[in-house]
């Protein structure tokens, strides 16, 4: 997780029961957060009039935020704060998904704590399940920009609202409910080039395409259409696990899909060129998660180390091994 305030940046990694400062290479420095129940954290950066804040939840521990120097546990009322399992920012508010329910919660504008208000999504869905994640996006240009707050359930229903303030009916309205495959993990949204991508068992889809086509037609527009057989195989292997992740590295026009795994034996990632749409597989990185810090790509390994990727001329201490097949021509 990256905290950025002005020109200052700090990089954090969570492992075991502790959050570490990994901004500088060498031994990680333990922060004051040393009693995590689960190290898979969902986080967002929230900028208010009071500064820059990195805010995390995990659905089991009380949420905390970092202000550039200290971690603080906010006093959130109206909901059991430890049950908040996902977090995102929309309309200058912090939004949350509550563990095991169809309820989203939001705080007052520009606030990190206080009384949370519930938005129940049950009446907008038909398949049941629970709320997995949410994300904020916008479409259009100029005066026609429309802000969307997007929610996805465990059964693959996308609920899209337009507007910023749920308490004001004149500026808040349900756009529609759309059906996709079941989402893969809670890190299933990624904003790319003015669109919002959703990662599901059917593939990775553009929100704009999902809103335009039905589920069958949307399958033909999937970002993962060129690798559909491989995608199906990977879903069969890892679909029930929550550590799926999409990570955008804008500097290199690449997005990495990190696959779940329990140890160093899973060292494959899917990588797509966000400009051309071309896919490749990367191997040799036993990565459990990825992050971008100071515009460079990093990954956390299953052995508790954090490595910078795509730098230097060696794989750790080993030279690169290249297999090259030129275009074949028979000269007779």
């Amino acid at each position: 997780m990256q905290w950025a305030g002005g020109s200052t940046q700090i990089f954090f990694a969570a492992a075991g029961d502790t959050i570490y400062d990994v901004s500088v290479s060498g031994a990680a420095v333990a922060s004051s957060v040393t009693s995590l129940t689960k190290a898979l954290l969902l986080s967002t950066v929230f900028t208010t009039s009071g500064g820059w804040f990195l805010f995390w939840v995990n659905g089991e521990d009380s949420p905390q935020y970092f202000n550039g120097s200290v971690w603080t546990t906010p006093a959130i009322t109206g909901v059991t704060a430890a049950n908040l399992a996902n977090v995102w920012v929309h309309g200058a508010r912090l939004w949350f998904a509550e563990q095991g329910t169809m309820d989203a919660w939001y705080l007052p504008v520009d606030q990190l704590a206080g009384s949370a208000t519930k938005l129940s999504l049950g009446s907008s869905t038909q398949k049941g399940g629970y709320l997995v994640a949410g994300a904020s996006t916008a479409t259009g240009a100029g005066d026609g920009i429309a802000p969307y707050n997007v929610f996805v359930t465990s059964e693959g229903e996308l609920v899209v609202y337009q507007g910023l303030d749920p308490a004001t009916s004149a500026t808040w309205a349900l756009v529609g409910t759309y059906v996709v495959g079941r989402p893969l993990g809670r890190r299933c949204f990624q904003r790319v080039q003015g669109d919002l991508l959703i990662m599901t068992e059917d593939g990775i889809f553009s929100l704009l395409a999902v809103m335009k086509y039905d589920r069958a037609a949307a399958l033909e527009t999937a970002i993962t259409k060129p690798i559909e057989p491989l995608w199906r195989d990977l879903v069969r292997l890892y679909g029930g696990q929550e550590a799926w992740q999409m990570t955008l590295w804008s500097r290199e026009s690449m997005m990495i899909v990190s696959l779940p795994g329990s140890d160093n034996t899973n060292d494959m990632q899917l990588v797509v060129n966000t400009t051309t749409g071309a896919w490749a597989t990367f191997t040799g990185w036993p990565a459990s998660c990825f992050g971008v810090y100071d515009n460079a790509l990093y990954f956390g390994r299953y052995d508790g180390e954090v490595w910078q990727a795509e730098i230097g001329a060696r794989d750790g201490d080993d030279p690169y091994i290249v297999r090259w097949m030129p275009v074949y021509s028979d000269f007779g």
Side-chain angles (χ1 to χ4, degrees):
M1 306 177 291
Q2 175 181 267
W3 175 87
S7 59
T8 304
Q9 300 180 59
I10 301 175
F11 201 33
F12 292 104
D17 63 356
T18 301
I19 295 178
Y20 297 89
D21 185 338
V22 292
S23 307
V24 180
S25 62
V29 179
S31 72
S32 60
V33 182
T34 58
S35 57
L36 295 174
T37 303
K38 181 172 70 173
L40 201 158
L41 310 181
L42 286 301
S43 65
T44 188
V45 174
F46 186 40
T47 303
T48 74
S49 57
W52 302 269
F53 303 92
L54 172 65
F55 197 109
W56 66 259
V57 300
N58 67 1
E60 296 189 27
D61 299 301
S62 296
Q64 295 193 20
Y65 64 82
F66 181 75
N67 66 356
S69 57
V70 297
W71 288 97
T72 300
T73 301
I76 298 175
T77 60
V79 62
T80 301
N83 291 341
L84 301 177
N86 214 326
V87 59
W88 66 100
V89 176
H90 177 75
R93 303 172 187 268
L94 284 172
W95 282 79
F96 307 95
E98 184 182 1
Q99 184 87 281
T101 74
M102 292 293 284
D103 297 332
W105 296 81
Y106 60 92
L107 291 177
V109 170
D110 214 29
Q111 298 297 309
L112 293 151
S115 178
T117 302
K118 180 170 70 173
L119 175 69
S120 180
L121 298 166
S123 61
S124 301
T125 62
Q126 297 181 357
K127 293 187 171 185
Y130 56 90
L131 181 61
V132 171
S136 178
T137 188
T139 63
D143 293 336
I145 292 179
Y148 289 150
N149 202 353
V150 185
F151 308 85
V152 65
T153 73
S154 59
E155 299 306 304
E157 290 185 278
L158 275 174
V159 183
V160 181
Y161 280 90
Q162 181 178 330
L164 299 175
D165 185 3
T168 307
S169 59
T171 59
W172 178 264
L174 176 66
V175 176
T177 300
Y178 309 89
V179 178
V180 294
R182 291 178 177 177
L184 294 171
R186 290 191 179 272
R187 295 177 292 187
C188 54
F189 284 121
Q190 176 64 61
R191 295 186 64 175
V192 177
Q193 297 176 351
D195 199 356
L196 183 67
L197 301 184
I198 171 71
M199 181 169 54
T200 76
E201 292 180 349
D202 288 348
I204 299 176
F205 297 91
S206 154
L207 174 66
L208 296 178
V210 170
M211 294 173 67
K212 184 177 181 180
Y213 304 107
D214 61 26
R215 182 176 180 182
L219 287 171
E220 298 301 313
T221 71
I223 309 298
T224 48
K225 178 67 175 177
I227 59 167
E228 183 176 356
L230 174 61
W231 187 264
R232 297 288 185 187
D233 289 342
L234 294 173
V235 168
R236 279 192 290 269
L237 287 171
Y238 306 114
Q241 301 183 42
E242 64 176 342
W244 292 77
Q245 181 184 17
M246 291 185 288
T247 304
L248 177 65
W249 191 19
S250 299
R251 191 187 76 184
E252 298 298 328
S253 299
M254 61 191 288
M255 186 178 76
I256 299 170
V257 178
S258 177
L259 306 174
S262 58
D263 53 38
N264 289 346
T265 60
N266 183 10
D267 67 347
M268 186 179 79
Q269 291 80 40
L270 305 180
V271 184
V272 62
N273 185 310
T274 57
T275 302
T276 67
W279 284 89
T281 56
F282 279 19
T283 59
W285 292 351
S288 59
C289 58
F290 281 82
V292 176
Y293 170 60
D294 197 19
N295 217 14
L297 182 67
Y298 292 82
F299 61 88
R301 292 163 47 115
Y302 292 101
D303 59 7
E305 295 183 345
V306 177
W307 285 42
Q308 185 174 355
E310 294 292 284
I311 187 173
R314 303 178 72 85
D315 260 339
D317 296 324
D318 301 320
Y320 288 138
I321 298 174
V322 179
R323 295 177 178 89
W324 175 52
M325 175 69 76
V327 175
Y328 176 79
S329 297
D330 185 355
F331 293 111

